[in-house]
Amino acid sequence: MTWVLILVIALIVLGVMIVVLKLPRTGWEITAAALLFGVSGYALQGHPGQPGAPQAPVENTKLADQTLIQERQKMGSAFGQGQSWLILADALTRQGQFGAASEILRKAIAKSPNDADLWVALGNTLVGHTEGVMTPAAQYAFQKAANIAPDHPGPPFFMGLALAQAGRLAEARTLWAQLLARSPADAPYRADLQQRLQQLDSMMAEQAQMQGAVQGAPAPGAKSSQQ
């Protein structure tokens, strides 16, 4: 009886994704296969009668920032047709499984190499996999998306975010200022971008003040000219 209930839930989930989330027909088979794969895995390894023992994700105990996922969704979906792949990758990313999400996106890109949304998502998962470090692979993914769709706001936004996290504030500000200058007034991400730019300016001002204070301080052991 338990397996019947699980299958019914899987069918309901698939129906919601098709009817409510408007999953494209091209993604029906992929999504159904993913659901069936999960059900079959539970059938082989699951033990419904045993009490639950929740554990943190194996790869990363720090789960993905839900705000950033939503931000990417605002900026994406208009530059490619890989929505069904993005749904699976986002689900893994929310659990902190950045490596698994990256593999899903690589497979999607192999089928749709000119999908800018997939490249942006791959860049994000690669940055998440290294806990905020901008690796050459992540930078390549963002640059690839920018080359495919020059008007896509995702590459400069998320590349700037990774640069800011790495302490490269001036480079991040250049990317974000350029993005803001070309963003429509009604862009859904514009207010968030402006706020992040203001925070970045404040950080850069504080950094400049600290550097000035250090440079103006007397060297250790230096004697006053009045002595």
Side-chain angles (χ1 to χ4, degrees):
M1 185 65 182
T2 301
W3 309 118
V4 175
L5 179 60
I6 293 173
L7 288 173
V8 170
I9 293 174
L11 290 174
I12 292 174
V13 170
L14 180 61
V16 170
M17 295 178 71
I18 293 174
V19 177
V20 179
L21 300 180
K22 306 298 182 184
L23 181 69
R25 179 175 290 274
T26 55
W28 291 8
E29 293 183 2
I30 296 173
T31 306
L35 289 172
L36 288 176
F37 180 77
V39 170
S40 61
Y42 183 76
L44 293 174
Q45 302 181 19
H47 300 282
Q50 293 185 358
Q55 295 182 352
V58 175
E59 178 187 346
N60 192 351
T61 56
K62 181 180 179 182
L63 300 185
D65 188 340
Q66 179 69 19
T67 302
L68 294 183
I69 294 178
Q70 294 174 349
E71 202 68 36
R72 199 221 70 230
Q73 291 171 347
K74 291 179 185 177
M75 296 180 176
S77 76
F79 298 87
Q81 301 298 323
Q83 188 64 24
S84 56
W85 293 99
L86 291 172
I87 291 173
L88 296 177
D90 284 348
L92 291 169
T93 300
R94 289 188 181 94
Q95 298 175 18
Q97 299 297 314
F98 298 106
S102 297
E103 289 303 314
I104 289 290
L105 291 168
R106 285 192 180 97
K107 292 179 182 179
I109 288 172
K111 295 179 178 294
S112 304
N114 293 321
D115 191 320
D117 292 335
L118 293 175
W119 282 106
V120 171
L122 178 60
N124 286 339
T125 57
L126 291 173
V127 171
H129 185 58
T130 55
E131 298 186 354
V133 177
M134 171 67 84
T135 62
Q139 187 167 353
Y140 175 82
F142 288 133
Q143 188 60 55
K144 186 72 174 180
N147 293 340
I148 294 171
D151 294 334
H152 199 312
F157 178 83
F158 289 107
M159 187 180 295
L161 184 62
L163 290 172
Q165 291 174 342
R168 298 160 63 178
L169 304 185
E171 296 175 69
R173 194 194 188 289
T174 298
L175 287 175
W176 283 354
Q178 292 174 347
L179 175 59
L180 183 62
R182 66 178 174 85
S183 297
D186 60 346
Y189 57 85
R190 187 178 178 88
D192 178 74
L193 179 59
Q194 288 176 319
Q195 182 178 0
R196 290 178 185 271
L197 259 174
Q198 292 174 356
Q199 293 174 346
L200 195 59
D201 286 340
S202 298
M203 292 172 62
M204 293 177 67
E206 292 177 1
Q207 190 178 72
Q209 289 179 354
M210 292 177 62
Q211 290 177 349
V214 170
Q215 292 174 357
K223 294 182 179 180
S224 173
S225 60
Q226 295 179 354
Q227 292 181 350

